[in-house]
Amino acid sequence: MFGELLIAILAALLSHSQDVSHADTAQCKCIPSEACWPTQAEWKSLNDSVLGQLIANTPVAAVCYPGHQYSAGQCATIDALWTNTTFQQNQPLGYSYPLSVPCPPVVVSDGEVPGNCSFGNAPAYTVNATTIEHVTKGIAFAKKHNIRLVKRNTGHDALGRSTGYGSLQIWIRYLRTGITFHEKFTASPSLWNGSAFTIGGGYVWNDVYPHATSRGLVVVGGGTPTVGCIGGWMQGGGHSPATRDFGLGADQVLQAQIVLANGSLVTVGPLQHPDLFFAIRGGGPGTYGVVVSTTVKAWPTTNVVVQTLAFAPLTAGFVPHFMEALTDLYAAYPALSDGGWWVVLDFVIL
Ligand SMILES: Cc1cc2nc3c(=O)[nH]c(=O)nc-3n(C[C@H](O)[C@H](O)[C@H](O)COP(=O)(O)OP(=O)(O)OC[C@H]3O[C@@H](n4cnc5c(N)ncnc54)[C@H](O)[C@@H]3O)c2cc1C
Ligand SMILES: *[C@@H]1O[C@H](CO)[C@@H](O)[C@H](O)[C@H]1NC(C)=O
Ligand SMILES: *[C@@H]1O[C@H](CO)[C@@H](O)[C@H](O)[C@H]1NC(C)=O
Ligand SMILES: *[C@@H]1O[C@H](CO)[C@@H](O)[C@H](O)[C@H]1NC(C)=O
Ligand SMILES: *[C@@H]1O[C@H](CO)[C@@H](O)[C@H](O)[C@H]1NC(C)=O
Ligand SMILES: *[C@@H]1O[C@H](CO)[C@@H](O)[C@H](O)[C@H]1NC(C)=O
Ligand SMILES: *[C@@H]1O[C@H](CO)[C@@H](O)[C@H](O)[C@H]1NC(C)=O
């Protein structure tokens, strides 16, 4: 009896897995080595439709490697800027530490030949979107040609969710329709009656903080001001020095604009597309369309006391004590939080 049941279950599982693998093959995305990959003429037509904003990607440090792009001078410049976050953010394929880049800058001494510069899992093309129409065109092209679509804002994502082999990347860094202040913003009276800012595109918190500070207001943004406002930070939750007092980044969003997979631009809020409004606020980035603006709460500013504690093991022998001290610190977090402190731990790896 059990044997028969087991066989029945196995048979069901097997037929299921066959169905799945069949479906997977049918739905595989097209990659650059395949005949289905768009032709040069098709890429050109996409480029024309986005008014020349299409980039054929090359690794940031390609100039350091043998080939037509090689330039010792440019390579030295890139090497010097490599750990500069702003510099990386301005490159279509620039990523933040600790994402490992397959093609790092190498300063080659005479006679030495570096390995080949591999593209790794980087997207093949980038739509450097400056308008919502560019976003729409990019989505339509990827859909029509069955190629993978990647959304990129700052390239900060340590899980690599803003990269992907053989894809078309939509880059929103230069999609900037303005930072607009609302003295009073009421998407729904039960949600908020106070001030708010609409962040129209790929701004980082560094761009937004001065608008709030100059009005005696505070917005809940990244502790590191180079994090993007409307992308992975908010859609993944969003931690802030102000979270202890005002909640997570996702809790701040009163309304958003999203380009859906079908190309439509929708406004989502507590009363419009409430399911989508719920999903983007912490439901995981890059999943529910391309967010092109958010409207976030602005709070009256408040005075805070800041204290920084830095400690490090000065010798290898001290590491066990360091770990013990770290454990004590972690254990104190709940009490510190109950006492009104927001605590952040920054690791510096030397
Ligand atoms: C230096 C540094 C400091 C950080 N500081 C903080 C911090 O203080 N608090 C905190 O909570 N986190 C922090 N993080 C983590 C950061 O919030 C996440 O890495 C986040 O995913 C980055 O989002 P992004 O949009 O800036 O980056 P990206 O890497 O460009 O994108 C991240 C994800 O969001 C998706 N995405 C981007 N734009 C859109 C869009 N418009 N619509 C839909 N999906 C989109 C991408 O596809 C990807 O999945 C930090 C990371 C770094 C590298
Ligand atoms: C897109 O067009 C612009 C302007 O003509 C050009 O500079 C750019 O190289 C083109 N991109 C690609 C991928 O051909
Ligand atoms: C980092 O790079 C940006 C943009 O390339 C530049 O403006 C800035 O001066 C650089 N910062 C440092 C510390 O080099
Ligand atoms: C680089 O790639 C070329 C062409 O594929 C190959 O012939 C060469 O051996 C590679 N060099 C290194 C150092 O891997
Ligand atoms: C992307 O577009 C913006 C706006 O046109 C431009 O300033 C920037 O240089 C472009 N970036 C790249 C890498 O081409
Ligand atoms: C906003 O104002 C309305 C009307 O005065 C009130 O009923 C509601 O509770 C307020 N909402 C918030 C979040 O304060
Ligand atoms: C796209 O989907 C949304 C939500 O289902 C719908 O409201 C809209 O009409 C659709 N747009 C197109 C062009 O089909």
Side-chain angles (χ1 to χ4, degrees):
M1 164 84 190
F2 274 129
E4 275 170 36
L5 189 61
L6 190 63
I7 288 166
I9 291 172
L10 274 179
L13 283 175
L14 278 175
S15 71
H16 181 66
S17 69
Q18 273 163 8
D19 285 354
V20 168
S21 61
H22 177 75
D24 279 356
T25 318
Q27 286 171 17
C28 271
K29 296 291 183 197
C30 186
I31 58 170
S33 57
E34 292 177 323
C36 53
W37 187 249
T39 62
Q40 286 301 321
E42 284 165 334
W43 286 112
K44 187 181 179 310
S45 77
L46 172 62
N47 199 9
D48 292 344
S49 77
V50 297
L51 307 178
Q53 289 292 105
L54 183 72
I55 300 168
N57 295 333
T58 49
V60 180
V63 291
C64 298
Y65 291 79
H68 70 282
Q69 294 195 76
Y70 178 75
S71 158
Q74 283 179 41
C75 175
T77 307
I78 287 174
D79 191 43
L81 284 167
W82 194 247
T83 56
N84 177 327
T85 304
T86 309
F87 169 76
Q88 291 287 353
Q89 283 183 341
N90 289 339
Q91 315 302 321
L93 301 185
Y95 301 101
S96 276
Y97 177 87
L99 271 190
S100 65
V101 174
C103 178
V106 280
V107 180
V108 188
S109 52
D110 281 347
E112 201 186 319
V113 180
N116 285 321
C117 184
S118 144
F119 213 58
N121 59 9
Y125 285 87
T126 298
V127 172
N128 182 4
T130 56
T131 66
I132 289 171
E133 203 189 348
H134 295 166
V135 174
T136 312
K137 299 278 189 203
I139 294 174
F141 187 85
K143 213 170 174 181
K144 178 175 173 196
H145 295 280
N146 188 33
I147 56 181
R148 188 173 172 188
L149 187 73
V150 161
K151 301 158 211 170
R152 176 195 161 96
N153 185 10
T154 65
H156 264 14
D157 199 287
L159 298 175
R161 289 175 297 190
S162 47
T163 188
Y165 176 72
S167 59
L168 171 64
Q169 161 173 273
I170 295 182
W171 191 23
I172 63 153
R173 179 156 177 83
Y174 296 95
L175 175 69
R176 292 175 174 227
T177 57
I179 298 165
T180 316
F181 177 61
H182 312 275
E183 187 76 49
K184 189 171 152 69
F185 187 92
T186 310
S188 147
S190 61
L191 195 63
W192 189 248
N193 290 324
S195 300
F197 285 97
T198 295
I199 304 168
Y203 296 97
V204 297
W205 288 111
N206 243 349
D207 301 318
V208 178
Y209 288 150
H211 291 263
T213 312
S214 67
R215 291 179 171 87
L217 297 169
V218 58
V219 285
V220 176
T224 311
T226 54
V227 178
C229 307
I230 73 170
W233 181 81
M234 177 282 285
Q235 293 174 54
H239 284 269
S240 166
T243 287
R244 168 66 183 70
D245 293 292
F246 304 128
L248 289 168
D251 300 327
Q252 311 304 314
V253 181
L254 299 163
Q255 187 173 288
Q257 282 188 299
I258 307 179
V259 180
L260 302 178
N262 70 7
S264 286
L265 176 69
V266 293
T267 299
V268 304
L271 307 175
Q272 300 145 286
H273 301 283
D275 50 348
L276 204 50
F277 181 58
F278 178 79
I280 59 158
R281 289 175 303 143
T287 311
Y288 307 101
V290 180
V291 176
V292 291
S293 84
T294 60
T295 300
V296 298
K297 298 172 187 173
W299 303 81
T301 198
T302 168
N303 290 329
V304 295
V305 174
V306 178
Q307 184 179 335
T308 305
L309 166 73
F311 66 109
L314 294 180
T315 63
F318 208 76
V319 168
H321 302 291
F322 172 77
M323 288 308 195
E324 247 177 75
L326 201 59
T327 310
D328 287 347
L329 187 66
Y330 278 144
Y333 272 26
L336 286 167
S337 180
D338 289 347
W341 288 88
W342 174 79
V343 203
V344 66
L345 189 68
D346 262 328
F347 281 103
V348 179
I349 297 165
L350 300 172

